[in-house]
Amino acid sequence: MEGVFSYIIGLGAAVMMPVIFTVLGMCIGIRFSDALKSGLKVGVGFVGLSIVTALLTSALGPALDSVVDIYHLQLRVFDMGWPAAASVAYNTAVGALIIPVCLGVNILMLFTKTTRTVNIDLWNYWHFAFIGAVIYFASDSLAWGFFGAIVCYIITLIIADMTAKKFQGFYKDMDGISIPQPFCAGFVPFAWAINKGLDKIPAIGRLEIDAEGMKKKFGLMGEPLFLGVVVGIAIGCLSCTSFSEIVSDIPRILGLGIKMGAVMELIPRVTGLFIEGLKPISDATRSLIARRFKGADGLSIGMSPALVIGHPTTLVVSLLLIPVSLVLAVILPGNQFLPLASLAGMFYVFPLVLPFTKGNVLKTFIVGLVVLVLGLYMVTNLAGWFSLAANDVYAATGDSAVAIPEGFSGGSLDFAGSPLAWTIFQLVHNLKWIGSGLLVAGTMALMWWNRVHILRNERAMIEAGSTEIQTTE
């Protein structure tokens, strides 16, 4: 089983999505050619996104390394990035079986009507494997590792259900889609609470600054493309030791600015392919449910948040938080984590935040600032356990991607900075049976609440259908 699922994961989303969407499309009544076309567009979207992300990493990497050296910003927790975290997650006993275990949990929840999300985002299952792996190494118990992973999976599915309508209402052409990724889901309570608090401040509550409004108010300066160029040039200048070096290094600095601008411009275009590929599948799914499952509270297809990271507000806020994160890492007392490789994951903080802030740039920035501060401390706190897991995987596999430099601990903002993962780890590891009991009670309560909500919606849909029939007669 480990070999089979390792092979599937190794193929990657770009290869497997055309297969999954073709099979799924034909099962719900779409012609083979249309289903294959949808899958290919989604697959190409993943390829394009990986290319753009690689451009961001390769462009920023050398400049940020120079900034670290010039200003002596070395901290003791080394940023390994999400690829290393995923490798650690999948190369453990928990990761080997995480896909069949989570799929089984998903099917059981669908039958018991405790979720309405069908999570086909297999590649992001590493998030669940990651928290399970860290708990496994911290507790030296495989059972506790799977317990943490399953609890994280269940809570994530419920949050995906809770946010589905808001998500679909905010983003265009996302009907029938939800986001069951725990990194995104962990920020939902913060988005809700901070947004409510900001609405009570008159000066901020009445201030509507979305990305389109910025373009109208500031013209070119409000464009993500232009902001990308400016931030890229600023980071390029910071990577120089003197004004004379800046002058002599103008081609490199301008090149960095153009590349950053290109990333801001290309991400929305690439994510447009996802929407094109998903639309026929989501339309056919809704039509099938309406025909064959009258009164059912519509199912949602759980997909990667990569679908919507091209939103202008996400781009603007993520771009602004990149230099802010470096400053915070240095000035925050007790923090030992300097985010570098993880900066490409900044875009994934906001897919489920924007539906609550309604795309307001200022509110979204404040939410991002709060969770970034918390994330730095969480990564610092989990660094020792992350390193224990990474060192074990490195010793067993020789995978250089998870090798931690001597004198450092390892960390990654991409998931070690998730409030959901951190909370589950602390309850299981530090409070043992009491913490686990609290998790079980809280998770069961959420499942019950979600089931009540689903059944209530089904009754409302049945009553609405009966009324419509009587009116027609």
Side-chain angles (χ1 to χ4, degrees):
M1 289 184 72
E2 179 181 356
V4 169
F5 288 107
S6 294
Y7 181 76
I8 292 173
I9 292 299
L11 290 175
V15 175
M16 283 303 297
M17 272 301 170
V19 176
I20 292 175
F21 270 69
T22 301
V23 174
L24 178 62
M26 292 179 68
C27 288
I28 59 178
I30 298 178
R31 289 187 306 173
F32 170 78
S33 58
D34 292 337
L36 179 59
K37 184 178 179 181
S38 291
L40 288 173
K41 284 186 176 181
V42 174
V44 170
F46 276 108
V47 172
L49 192 59
S50 66
I51 292 172
V52 175
T53 303
L55 173 62
L56 174 64
T57 305
S58 63
L60 273 181
L64 291 176
D65 287 341
S66 297
V67 172
V68 168
D69 292 337
I70 291 170
Y71 299 99
H72 307 291
L73 303 182
Q74 291 285 1
L75 299 174
R76 69 175 183 84
V77 179
F78 177 73
D79 186 1
M80 301 175 70
W82 77 263
S87 183
V88 169
Y90 278 131
N91 282 288
T92 62
V94 178
L97 297 175
I98 196 67
I99 292 178
V101 168
C102 286
L103 287 177
V105 171
N106 198 166
I107 292 170
L108 182 61
M109 291 181 68
L110 288 168
F111 275 117
T112 57
K113 295 189 177 182
T114 49
T115 188
R116 58 178 183 269
T117 291
V118 182
N119 187 5
I120 65 170
D121 185 22
L122 300 181
W123 292 268
N124 277 321
Y125 276 40
W126 75 263
H127 289 262
F128 309 109
F130 177 85
I131 186 58
V134 175
I135 292 174
Y136 165 51
F137 281 99
S139 62
D140 197 26
S141 168
L142 186 59
W144 281 122
F146 273 113
F147 171 78
I150 291 170
V151 166
C152 186
Y153 189 75
I154 293 172
I155 293 174
T156 300
L157 285 178
I158 294 172
I159 292 176
D161 288 344
M162 292 167 61
T163 57
K165 288 184 179 178
K166 245 185 182 325
F167 174 83
Q168 295 163 15
F170 179 77
Y171 294 102
K172 295 179 180 178
D173 299 317
M174 285 293 137
D175 291 341
I177 304 297
S178 63
I179 304 297
Q181 195 223 44
F183 183 66
C184 295
F187 303 122
V188 167
F190 294 91
W192 176 82
I194 294 173
N195 185 67
K196 286 286 186 185
L198 293 175
D199 281 342
K200 295 183 182 301
I201 303 174
I204 296 178
R206 292 194 300 265
L207 195 60
E208 296 294 335
I209 309 178
D210 60 6
E212 291 302 318
M214 285 185 64
K215 293 178 185 179
K216 293 177 182 177
K217 188 170 183 178
F218 300 107
L220 177 62
M221 292 185 292
E223 293 275 358
L225 167 62
F226 182 77
L227 288 173
V229 173
V230 170
V231 171
I233 290 174
I235 293 174
C237 292
L238 287 173
S239 66
C240 298
T241 56
S242 64
F243 180 76
S244 60
E245 186 178 344
I246 292 175
V247 173
S248 63
D249 222 6
I250 283 179
R252 179 186 66 84
I253 294 171
L254 293 179
L256 177 59
I258 294 298
K259 288 177 182 177
M260 288 290 288
V263 169
M264 296 299 108
E265 185 69 17
L266 290 174
I267 285 180
R269 296 176 185 268
V270 169
T271 54
L273 287 170
F274 290 127
I275 296 172
E276 287 182 36
L278 281 172
K279 188 166 176 46
I281 298 292
S282 62
D283 289 347
T285 302
R286 287 200 319 277
S287 177
L288 177 69
I289 291 171
R291 289 197 316 269
R292 299 194 179 182
F293 302 97
K294 291 181 180 179
D297 191 17
L299 296 178
S300 298
I301 300 174
M303 286 293 295
S304 168
L307 303 179
V308 293
I309 64 169
H311 191 280
T313 298
T314 293
L315 295 176
V316 169
V317 174
S318 299
L319 188 66
L320 294 175
L321 283 175
I322 287 176
V324 170
S325 66
L326 299 178
V327 175
L328 288 174
V330 176
I331 66 172
L332 287 175
N335 172 64
Q336 290 297 322
F337 178 68
L338 181 66
L340 295 173
S342 294
L343 291 177
M346 192 75 72
F347 302 105
Y348 293 89
V349 172
F350 301 106
L352 292 181
V353 171
L354 263 59
F356 289 90
T357 63
K358 297 180 181 178
N360 185 296
V361 173
L362 179 59
K363 291 180 180 179
T364 305
F365 180 84
I366 293 172
V367 173
L369 190 64
V370 171
V371 299
L372 178 59
V373 171
L374 293 174
L376 293 174
Y377 282 119
M378 290 173 186
V379 176
T380 300
N381 181 254
L382 289 179
W385 304 115
F386 184 98
S387 301
L388 184 65
N391 290 334
D392 187 88
V393 169
Y394 179 67
T397 65
D399 185 355
S400 59
V402 300
I404 300 174
E406 188 175 350
F408 287 85
S409 298
S412 170
L413 185 65
D414 305 64
F415 193 63
S418 166
L420 181 56
W422 185 84
T423 301
I424 292 173
F425 175 84
Q426 299 299 331
L427 287 173
V428 174
H429 178 63
N430 292 326
L431 297 180
K432 303 297 182 186
W433 289 102
I434 295 175
S436 301
L438 291 173
L439 277 175
V440 169
T443 303
M444 293 295 289
L446 284 173
M447 293 173 70
W448 175 82
W449 178 88
N450 205 32
R451 175 178 163 80
V452 169
H453 185 71
I454 290 170
L455 293 176
R456 184 184 299 137
N457 283 351
E458 287 185 355
R459 285 195 297 270
M461 292 173 71
I462 291 172
E463 291 171 2
S466 301
T467 303
E468 185 177 344
I469 292 171
Q470 292 172 5
T471 303
T472 303
E473 291 175 349

